Amino acid sequence: MPRSGVVGWKPSVFKRAREEKGLTPAELARRAGLSGTVVGRYEREGGSAPTPETLQRLAVALGVPPREFIDFRQAGWAGRRAVLGLTQDQVVEQVDDPDLNVQTYRALEAGRTRRLRAAQARSLARFFGVSEEEVRAEHEQAVARRQESERIKGEGEGRMPSGR
């Protein structure tokens, strides 16, 4: 999993796309206005992932839809947002839901809010161009990831250092 950038980034798919176009990392970097070192980091498992804006530039430079580089089962709404090149604030501005604010959206996307209202599911489904069921499933996955992360963190804090 990348340490930074868009969630669900698939470095091996990105690297394969670059190679299929016959480009070196330096050539792709030049086309996208980046450094070759950065492109190399994006290709490495466990390395970095691009920001949504950089994802857009790389996809254009490769002539590949940005969604090809994102695992939506892992990324959920954050990945869909990244494919559109949008920030959370921009999503809220563009979603047709007067009851959805940035704080609520951030909590939903991160899985911190367990309850997804029906109206929110409808408006987000329309915005992302997916079914309400997909929106609900991606929200449930975000909640489950958050719970698992908190469980692991709790176990780590509760352990005694070895050798004592």
Side-chain angles (χ1 to χ4, degrees):
M1 173 181 252
R3 294 177 301 216
S4 63
V6 297
V7 179
W9 176 247
K10 299 189 292 189
S12 60
V13 173
F14 172 66
K15 182 178 182 178
R16 187 173 340 113
R18 177 189 56 77
E19 290 171 342
E20 287 174 358
K21 298 292 181 177
L23 299 171
T24 66
E27 290 168 330
L28 175 57
R30 222 176 3 267
R31 287 184 180 192
L34 304 168
S35 75
T37 304
V38 170
V39 170
R41 286 186 203 141
Y42 295 159
E43 292 183 349
R44 194 170 49 248
E45 292 294 333
S48 298
T51 63
E53 298 80 17
T54 302
L55 170 62
Q56 296 293 313
R57 291 169 38 198
L58 291 166
V60 167
L62 288 168
V64 176
R67 69 178 173 273
E68 297 297 319
F69 305 123
I70 304 295
D71 178 354
F72 290 109
R73 291 170 302 184
Q74 180 186 11
W77 300 351
R80 294 191 185 284
R81 179 173 53 78
V83 163
L84 297 173
L86 300 174
T87 65
Q88 291 172 330
D89 293 27
Q90 290 168 324
V91 168
V92 171
E93 288 171 9
Q94 295 180 30
V95 168
D96 184 25
D97 186 340
D99 296 326
L100 185 65
N101 61 41
V102 174
Q103 183 178 357
T104 301
Y105 179 79
R106 285 182 179 151
L108 286 167
E109 186 178 285
R112 290 190 312 265
T113 301
R114 292 183 183 181
R115 184 172 172 261
L116 174 64
R117 294 187 356 246
Q120 291 168 331
R122 272 192 304 278
S123 59
L124 289 166
R126 275 193 309 271
F127 179 76
F128 287 123
V130 298
S131 69
E132 288 181 44
E133 291 75 26
E134 285 177 274
V135 166
R136 286 189 190 93
E138 289 172 359
H139 176 254
E140 288 172 12
Q141 290 169 349
V143 169
R145 279 192 303 273
R146 177 76 176 199
Q147 289 173 337
E148 179 66 10
S149 174
E150 289 174 358
R151 183 189 66 75
I152 291 169
K153 182 180 176 188
E155 286 178 2
E157 292 172 354
R159 291 188 182 150
M160 294 293 293
S162 60
R164 289 191 181 194

